[in-house]
Amino acid sequence: MLELVREVLDHLAALNGFPAEQARPELAGRLLDGLVFNAGPGGFTAVRGACAMAQGLAMGWGKPLAAVSSLEAWAEPLLHQPLQASLPSDAGDGPALVLVLLDARMGEVYAGLFRRTPHSTAAALHALGDAVLAPDAVQGWVSMLAGGSLPDQARILVGDLSQAHPLLLARLQEEGWRFMPAEALSALDLLHVAYRHRAQRFQDPALAAPIYVRNKVALNAHEQQALRDRNHAARR
C-alpha cells in the first residue's frame, strides 16, 4: 500500500514538474486538498486497514479526510449516465430506485437503497438506508424504505450477486429490477461522492471511522454448519 502511495505521488510530481523522489512531502502539501478512502462496509480487516492508512497520511500531511461508503460509491456511476440503456424504452431518464447489494459472507448481503432523481443540470442520489440482511429479508426491507412505491418507478440493481446469491438475484429480476453487475469499485467514484458532499464529508482525520454496518465478523462452528445446511437445501 505504501509503495502504491509513493508511485501515485511520484506520478503527480512528474506531471507538475517536481523532482520525484525529493518532492513527496512538498507535493502533498501543495497539490492535495484532502484525502478520500473507502470506509466500507466490506472485509473487516480491509476496512480497518484502509481507515488507518488514510488517517496516518492525512494527519502527517495536515489534510482533511473524507470517509465514503462503498455502497454509495457503487451507486455513484448511475449519476453520470442516462438510464435509458438499462430501463424499458418508455422509462426515459426519470426517477429510479437504485439498490446496491454486495456479498457480506456468512449468508448475508450488504444492502444500500438510493433514490435517483433527475435535475435540470445533474441527477441527484438520495440515500434511503443501509443494512446487512439475510437474502430472504431484502425485498421486505426495500418495500418498507421505499414506502410501497415500487411499481411506480424504475428499479436498478447493482451488485455482485451472480455467484454468491443467484436465487436472490432471480427473485429480484422477476420483481422488475434491472441488474447491472458490479465489476470493480473506482477511486474516481469515491472521489465524486466526497466532492459532491465536500462541506459535510471532509473532516479532521482523527474523527474518521470505518462503516461496518454489522459488528459480527465471524460465525462459530454451529452457525457455519447451519449456513452450509441452508445453502445445500437451497440448491436442491
Side-chain angles (χ1 to χ4, degrees):
M1 178 69 76
L2 283 173
E3 186 56 38
L4 176 62
V5 172
R6 294 190 188 101
E7 290 180 8
V8 170
L9 289 178
D10 287 348
H11 178 66
L12 287 174
L15 290 177
N16 288 274
F18 290 94
E21 289 293 333
Q22 299 85 359
R24 289 173 189 149
E26 183 177 5
L27 178 68
R30 286 193 183 186
L31 299 184
L32 299 183
D33 296 314
L35 288 87
V36 179
F37 77 102
N38 179 355
F44 184 74
T45 301
V47 167
R48 289 174 64 88
C51 183
M53 173 68 73
Q55 283 181 309
L57 292 172
M59 288 179 178
W61 290 332
K63 300 295 179 180
L65 181 61
V68 173
S69 161
S70 58
L71 296 168
E72 190 173 4
W74 277 117
E76 179 68 18
L78 295 178
L79 282 180
H80 308 292
Q81 62 187 35
L83 298 183
Q84 286 93 334
S86 302
L87 298 175
S89 58
D90 60 350
D93 198 35
L97 284 177
V98 179
L99 176 61
V100 181
L101 293 177
L102 303 175
D103 182 26
R105 308 303 174 98
M106 298 181 3
E108 296 178 318
V109 293
Y110 292 120
L113 186 64
F114 305 87
R115 180 170 282 116
R116 180 191 191 272
T117 56
H119 191 273
S120 58
T121 56
L125 199 66
H126 307 281
L128 301 180
D130 58 35
V132 60
L133 301 165
D136 290 344
V138 169
Q139 287 158 289
W141 177 80
V142 169
S143 180
M144 176 187 69
L145 290 184
S149 60
L150 295 186
D152 301 325
Q153 53 194 301
R155 284 160 278 171
I156 303 296
L157 173 62
V158 179
D160 58 359
L161 302 181
S162 299
Q163 297 298 321
H165 299 281
L167 296 179
L168 173 59
L169 173 59
R171 290 200 304 269
L172 290 170
Q173 288 179 310
E174 288 175 1
E175 198 177 73
W177 291 88
R178 302 302 175 108
F179 182 50
M180 300 177 65
E183 297 179 359
L185 187 58
S186 166
L188 283 177
D189 293 330
L190 295 168
L191 183 60
H192 285 152
V193 173
Y195 186 76
R196 281 194 296 107
H197 303 285
R198 54 192 176 277
Q200 298 82 27
R201 295 294 177 93
F202 283 96
Q203 59 182 341
D204 184 333
L207 301 177
I211 301 172
Y212 293 122
V213 179
R214 73 174 173 205
N215 294 320
K216 185 178 177 64
V217 297
L219 298 176
N220 60 34
H222 176 74
E223 291 168 329
Q224 291 176 22
Q225 184 59 52
L227 177 60
R228 286 192 290 269
D229 292 344
R230 288 199 302 271
N231 289 340
H232 179 69
R235 286 193 293 269
R236 286 189 297 180

